[in-house]
Amino acid sequence: MPKLSEEAKQERRERILAGSRRCFARFGYEGATVARLEHETGLSRGAIFNWFPSKEALFLELAAQENTRLLELIVAEGFEGFVHAVSKEDADWLAVYLEFGRRLRTSAELREQWLRLAPPELQERTRRWIVEAQERGELRDDLTPDEIGKFLGVVFDGMVTQRALGFEAPPPDLVVALIRDAVGGRAEPRRAS
Amino acid sequence: MPKLSEEAKQERRERILAGSRRCFARFGYEGATVARLEHETGLSRGAIFNWFPSKEALFLELAAQENTRLLELIVAEGFEGFVHAVSKEDADWLAVYLEFGRRLRTSAELREQWLRLAPPELQERTRRWIVEAQERGELRDDLTPDEIGKFLGVVFDGMVTQRALGFEAPPPDLVVALIRDAVGGRAEPRRAS
């Protein structure tokens, strides 16, 4: 195999990830056969599995990237950013992400790998985002950060599921306004919308 | 095949449904093979498929029953009843229910059968429940019943998903209190809990 420059290596890795993401979104995890992964990435199985030891590892990396992206979005843009992002996200990909959750639940090995990949400091940053929003009066402070985080998690998972299952999710502005009414702080008087 | 009395017929049908529900919950839709369905129901494939034309039809009937049960619960006990019921529901069965949603999305034929089975008058009763709760001041009336229904749907689906994926869902009382803060009416002042 010819040697690739660092830049070419990075490019190759990105190409494999982008192609397999499309492939998983289109055919689901089971349906994304090696032949289809080859077709979507435009690379041979040898080239693909030179970068990722297995289809599962490839999928795990994509799910970890998505998880990181969504948590960073919350930290950067609050729950508004998250709700709007999910409402625009490709429904096929959300369906795969949901399927990944199901696989996580039934495979102890996958769960362990996942815990190693998901950066704990990002979870901590999300928690700190809640604490700071409470201090600014944007989130209510008569609930613990954990309680607020858990409620937001339910609403977020509900949006992901509805989109993934092909239902018409409610308009993001409505969801944002009602989240605010549920957990917004003094600086966000109820029914301001 | 010997003739069964009406009562025995009903009993047989219930036995098939209860056994296959356990089987789907334990092994998932794909994993619930005909041999396993026979084992869990204690009946032969001939006896099972005498009542339901296919595994898919059996699954569809179970999902329709579950859907009816949950909608009736909302009408009878409000969102509080629903939230508490989901938090106690068998997580394995919720996982199957979620998987059913995914299959609905990808099979036009299944979707059509589903629409025939899901009773539209129950949807209408759920809508009327919202309108009446608005009139009693238990739900806010500055939103349309459709908007309230959609928001409740997101929260409900989020709870089902979290339980189905094996995450620790927030305590039902917290979810109920925050739903009330989001969509509760004049009779339910904010932060009453």
Side-chain angles (χ1 to χ4, degrees):
Chain A
M1 192 167 289
K3 284 225 179 222
L4 292 171
S5 70
E6 273 311 311
E7 199 183 329
K9 275 185 186 169
Q10 192 54 34
E11 207 175 35
R12 172 69 54 98
R13 196 169 180 278
E14 292 302 324
R15 180 170 160 191
I16 294 169
L17 286 168
S20 6
R21 190 183 195 277
R22 279 195 305 274
C23 191
F24 285 128
R26 185 157 167 210
F27 301 106
Y29 183 80
E30 299 297 345
T33 57
V34 173
R36 282 170 171 165
L37 286 167
E38 287 182 312
H39 182 80
E40 283 288 341
T41 57
L43 293 167
S44 72
R45 60 195 70 198
I48 297 171
F49 294 117
N50 185 41
W51 289 92
F52 296 93
S54 64
K55 180 170 127 177
E56 194 170 84
L58 189 49
F59 189 55
L60 199 64
E61 176 64 28
L62 283 167
Q65 281 193 350
E66 180 75 3
N67 190 51
T68 300
R69 191 177 77 82
L70 292 177
L71 287 179
E72 276 175 348
L73 201 67
I74 295 175
V75 173
E77 301 178 27
F79 58 81
E80 298 88 342
F82 185 94
V83 167
H84 280 96
V86 168
S87 76
K88 276 180 297 205
E89 183 64 277
D90 176 32
D92 288 328
W93 170 247
L94 290 176
V96 177
Y97 193 56
L98 199 64
E99 188 181 342
F100 174 75
R102 194 173 59 82
R103 295 176 71 85
L104 261 193
R105 177 169 176 270
T106 48
S107 160
E109 196 193 328
L110 187 63
R111 207 159 50 237
E112 203 177 294
Q113 293 177 314
W114 171 252
L115 288 174
R116 253 179 284 134
L117 269 179
E121 89 275 3
L122 201 53
Q123 308 258 12
E124 176 49 31
R125 268 167 61 201
T126 316
R127 208 191 69 87
R128 246 194 351 257
W129 168 77
I130 295 178
V131 172
E132 287 166 10
Q134 286 180 310
E135 286 167 0
R136 287 193 303 270
E138 287 165 25
L139 288 174
R140 57 197 280 188
D141 53 12
D142 59 337
L143 295 174
T144 66
D146 184 58
E147 287 174 323
I148 290 184
K150 282 195 166 151
F151 181 75
L152 290 178
V154 166
V155 178
F156 294 169
D157 281 342
M159 287 207 71
V160 168
T161 299
Q162 292 204 338
R163 296 233 39 236
L165 301 189
F167 295 114
E168 202 198 327
D173 288 340
L174 174 71
V175 177
V176 166
L178 292 178
I179 290 178
R180 198 169 281 142
D181 285 340
V183 296
R186 297 178 307 280
E188 308 278 352
R190 192 182 183 189
R191 283 153 214 202
S193 67
Chain B
M1 189 166 291
K3 284 225 179 224
L4 292 172
S5 69
E6 273 311 311
E7 199 181 330
K9 273 185 187 170
Q10 193 54 34
E11 206 174 36
R12 172 69 54 98
R13 196 169 180 278
E14 292 301 324
R15 180 170 160 190
I16 294 169
L17 286 168
S20 10
R21 190 184 197 276
R22 279 195 305 274
C23 191
F24 285 128
R26 185 157 168 210
F27 300 106
Y29 183 80
E30 299 297 346
T33 57
V34 172
R36 282 169 169 164
L37 286 167
E38 287 182 312
H39 182 80
E40 282 288 341
T41 57
L43 294 166
S44 71
R45 60 195 68 198
I48 296 171
F49 294 116
N50 184 41
W51 290 91
F52 297 93
S54 64
K55 181 170 126 177
E56 193 170 85
L58 190 48
F59 189 55
L60 199 64
E61 176 65 28
L62 284 168
Q65 281 193 350
E66 180 74 4
N67 190 52
T68 299
R69 191 177 78 81
L70 292 176
L71 287 179
E72 275 175 349
L73 201 66
I74 295 175
V75 172
E77 301 178 28
F79 58 81
E80 296 88 341
F82 184 94
V83 167
H84 281 96
V86 168
S87 76
K88 276 180 297 205
E89 183 65 276
D90 175 33
D92 288 327
W93 170 247
L94 290 176
V96 177
Y97 193 56
L98 200 63
E99 188 181 342
F100 174 74
R102 193 174 60 81
R103 295 178 71 85
L104 261 193
R105 177 169 177 269
T106 48
S107 161
E109 196 193 328
L110 187 63
R111 208 159 50 237
E112 202 176 295
Q113 292 176 315
W114 171 252
L115 288 174
R116 251 178 284 136
L117 269 180
E121 90 275 3
L122 201 53
Q123 307 258 10
E124 176 49 30
R125 268 168 61 203
T126 316
R127 207 192 69 87
R128 244 191 356 253
W129 168 77
I130 295 177
V131 171
E132 287 166 9
Q134 286 180 310
E135 287 167 0
R136 286 192 304 270
E138 287 165 24
L139 288 175
R140 58 197 281 188
D141 54 11
D142 59 336
L143 295 174
T144 66
D146 184 58
E147 286 174 322
I148 290 184
K150 282 194 166 153
F151 180 74
L152 290 178
V154 166
V155 178
F156 293 170
D157 282 341
M159 286 207 71
V160 168
T161 300
Q162 292 204 338
R163 295 232 41 235
L165 301 189
F167 295 115
E168 202 199 326
D173 288 340
L174 175 71
V175 177
V176 166
L178 292 178
I179 290 178
R180 197 170 281 143
D181 285 341
V183 296
R186 297 178 307 282
E188 308 279 351
R190 192 182 183 189
R191 284 156 212 201
S193 67

